[in-house]
Amino acid sequence: MSSTTPNTIINYSLLPRLTSNDPNFLTPCNNLIAPTNYFCYLGKYTQQNLLEPIGEPLYPLFKPLYDVLEEKGSSIGLKADQTIFVLMLFLTYFWSFIYRLIFNNQMMRKQYFLKQLYIATIGLFYAIFTFGYEGMHGVTCALVSYFAMLILPKYLAPKFVCVFVWAYLATCHLIRMQLDYTSQRVDYSAMLMMMVLRINSCAFNYADGLNPKKEQELEDVLIEASIEKIPSFIEYLSFCFYFPALLAGPAFEIKYFQSFLRNYDEDSLPISIKSLLFNTLLIFISFAGFTQIDRFDREFIMNSPNEFSALSLIEKILFIELMVVFFKYRYYLVWHIAQGACWLSGFGYNKKKKVWDAFRQIDYFGFELATSPFLLSVSWNMSVNVFLKKFIYLRNKKKGEKPGTASIFTTFLLVAFWHGFYPGYYIFFVLAGMGVEFGRMFRSMFRHRVIPPDYDFDLYKPIESLQKINLSIALYNFVAWILTHISTYYIAASFVLLSVEHTLFMWKETYTGIIGVGMILYCYLKFDGLKRFGIKKKAH
C-alpha cells in the first residue's frame, strides 16, 4: 500500500469509509511505533478480510441517504456520524410503535418467533446502517459467544464467553485508540459495550443456573435471574440486538427479556402519561444542554493551551465545571430517547413495584440533587450499575457479607476497563472510588450530628419531605450538594480530556484544585483521622 506525502492531509474522522481499496488504508498504522502498530494492523486485516466482505457491499445502497443526512445535519451543526446516530435513535419510536401495533392483539400476541424475528431484523439493520461494516463487530461477538455456550462443556462455556467478550472489546478499544486517538467520533464501540454486558450477563445467568450449590453460594437476586437452558438462536439474537436498547442501552438480562416476549399483555400495562411527558420534557432539556457543548468544548484546553492559561483561576475552574456539566447532556439525551422507545414497546415495566423502572439509565433528580458521591454514582448509568452489582460487586464476597473497599475499587476499575484504555478514564474512576469512600467518611463524621436517624428526604414527595426540614438539615444538605457536584465535575474533566497530558495541564493551571486537598484528607481520614472522631472502621 502506498503512503501519502507529508503535505497530504488525511481526514480520519469518518474511518468506516476508509476501506481496504483506499491507498491510505494502512497509513494510520505505518505512522505508529511497535508494539502499538501491531494492534492497528490486526484491526485493519480483520476489517479487510472479515468485516468488509459482509458489511461494505451494502454501503452503495445506503450512500444516497447518508449524503442527505450529512447535508441536513451540517445545517444544524451536527457531524454526519452524529446525525445518523441521533436519527436512528429517534426512529426507534417508529419501530417500537409498529411492534406494539402488530403484536398487541389476540392473534399475534403469542407469536414469539415473529416477535423475535422482527426485533432481530430491525436490530441488525440498525447495526449495519449506523456503523457500516463496523456493525459486524457486534454480530461477530454475539455469534461466537452463542456457539461457545452451545458447543463447549457447560462448566467451561460461561468462562470462555466472559473472557472472549471482554478481550474482544479490549482489542477494539485498543485499535480505536491507535487509529483515532482522543476522537469523539460516534462509532460502534458504544453498541459493543452494551452488547458485552448483555452477552456476559447471559453467560453468568447460565452458569448460575447450572451451579448445584447456588442456594448456598449466591445471593437471592442472582438465583432469581439464573437460567438452566440456553435460549434459542433467534431469541438470543433478538436479545443481543433489541433495537430500542442497541445504541445507548439500557443493559438487561435474558430472563426479563424472555418474560417481555412471552408473559406480558400490553393492554394490562398501566401507561403513565405523566412519566412519558416528563421523559419527553427531559429529552428537550437534554437537547438544549447538548447544543451548548461547543461553547465549553474540551478542544479549547487541548488545542489552545496559551489562551486557557491566560484566563483567571476562577474562569478556568468555571470553564472546567461547565465543560463537564454540558458534556453530560450528550448522555442524558441518548438515554432518555432510548428509555422512551423501550417504554413504547412495553419494555421496562416492573411488575413487583408496578412502575416503569425495571431498567433505567439515569435518575435525573437523583443525580442532579445528590448530596454524596455514592448517591451520584448510583443515579448515573443505572442499568450498568445493576450489572456491576450483580456480576462484580456481589461476586467478590461470600454470601451474606458486606462488600468492602476492595470491591468498590475493583468495580470502578472494571468500569474504566469497559470504557477503554484512555488514561483519563482510569484517573477519573480511581478518584471516583476514593470520592465514594471519602463521602462515607464525611457522612459518618458529621451527618449524625446534624440530621436525626429517622429523617428521610424523598425527592419524589418534596412537599412532605420539606415539612421535616429545619435550618441545620437544609444547610448540611446544601453544603454536601455543593461539595459533591463541584468535586465530581472537576475530577470528571479527566474523563472528558482522556489523556494524562491534558489532565495534568488542567490540574497545573488550577493548582491541582481539589485533587491535592482531597488526597491529603482522604489519606488522613482513612488511616488515622476517623479514630479522632471516635468512629470505628467497618466494612461497607
Side-chain angles (χ1 to χ4, degrees), residues 16 19 83 92 113 127 154 178 243 280 291 295 306 315 336-337 347-348 356 397 421 448 480:
T19 63
T83 305
T92 55
F113 177 81
K154 292 182 178 180
Q178 307 309 320
F243 59 88
T280 303
T291 60
R295 294 187 60 188
N306 293 333
E315 288 175 327
H336 284 120
I337 294 173
F347 189 85
W356 290 86
K397 69 178 191 64
F421 295 100
H448 67 282

Side-chain angles (χ1 to χ4, degrees), residues 85 89-90 92-93 244 248-250 275-287 328-344 359-368 379-382 460:
F85 188 84
L89 273 176
F90 276 112
T92 55
Y93 283 82
S275 297
L276 287 173
L277 290 176
F278 180 63
N279 190 70
T280 303
L281 175 63
L282 290 178
I283 290 175
F284 282 105
I285 292 174
S286 302
F287 186 78
K328 72 184 178 185
Y329 280 100
R330 64 188 295 176
Y331 296 99
Y332 278 180
L333 179 62
V334 297
W335 287 343
H336 284 120
I337 294 173
Q339 181 168 281
C342 288
W343 287 353
L344 185 59
F359 301 99
R360 289 193 296 170
Q361 290 289 70
I362 183 70
D363 179 351
Y364 183 82
F365 286 126
F367 183 86
E368 293 295 341
S379 299
W380 178 269
N381 218 351
M382 296 170 68
Y460 297 95

Side-chain angles (χ1 to χ4, degrees), residues 147-168:
F147 288 111
M149 287 190 286
L150 206 61
I151 296 171
L152 293 178
K154 292 182 178 180
Y155 72 92
L156 179 62
K159 298 176 183 177
F160 172 84
V161 169
C162 180
V163 173
F164 169 72
V165 293
W166 284 96
Y168 194 100

Side-chain angles (χ1 to χ4, degrees), residues 2 52 84 245 282 323 388 406 510 534 540:
S2 61
E52 282 186 18
I84 294 171
L282 290 178
M323 175 183 71
L388 293 170
T510 53
H540 292 277

Side-chain angles (χ1 to χ4, degrees), residues 3-11 24:
S3 60
T4 59
T5 62
N7 295 326
T8 303
I9 298 175
I10 305 170
N11 179 15
N24 300 317

Side-chain angles (χ1 to χ4, degrees), residues 250-271:
F252 52 89
E253 294 175 81
I254 184 65
K255 199 164 188 177
Y256 182 90
F257 185 73
Q258 290 173 331
S259 176
F260 161 70
L261 292 174
R262 292 178 172 82
N263 302 322
Y264 87 102
D265 180 349
E266 289 174 340
D267 288 334
S268 67
L269 296 181
I271 301 299

